[in-house]
Amino acid sequence: MRDLITKLGEKEMTKLTKEQEKELEQIALEIEAEAIQMKLDYENNPPPLEETGSLIYVHQNSEFLENEEEE
């Protein structure tokens, strides 16, 4: 949270009340917790390859099959 405050700069932060600063910090913590949970969920339950775009389909008549120099 301190990084966020530093990025905003002292000038911008002085415009917020203590209550607003506290609310902003709480929101930032919630976003960070959700991001961590999403990362863990993705690591533990990766999507099927066809949903990640990792599969490449080449049609049997593709020009890529004709040219052996292309990778």
Side-chain angles (χ1 to χ4, degrees):
M1 180 61 198
R2 268 285 165 233
D3 291 338
L4 177 62
I5 292 173
T6 302
K7 286 179 184 176
L8 288 174
E10 293 297 321
K11 187 183 249 184
E12 287 81 2
M13 287 304 292
T14 56
K15 296 177 184 177
L16 298 177
T17 66
K18 291 292 181 191
E19 184 179 305
Q20 289 171 324
E21 286 182 30
K22 193 172 185 177
E23 183 179 358
L24 180 60
E25 187 170 334
Q26 180 62 36
I27 291 169
L29 290 173
E30 290 173 12
I31 290 171
E32 182 180 15
E34 185 65 30
I36 290 169
Q37 185 60 43
M38 184 181 294
K39 179 181 179 275
L40 291 173
D41 183 49
Y42 183 83
E43 289 173 351
N44 294 329
N45 304 298
L49 288 177
E50 57 269 4
E51 291 182 16
T52 64
S54 297
L55 294 179
I56 299 173
Y57 297 99
V58 179
H59 189 270
Q60 64 189 13
N61 296 328
S62 172
E63 63 185 51
F64 292 110
L65 297 175
E66 294 173 9
N67 189 345
E68 293 181 16
E69 292 179 13
E70 289 188 38
E71 293 183 20

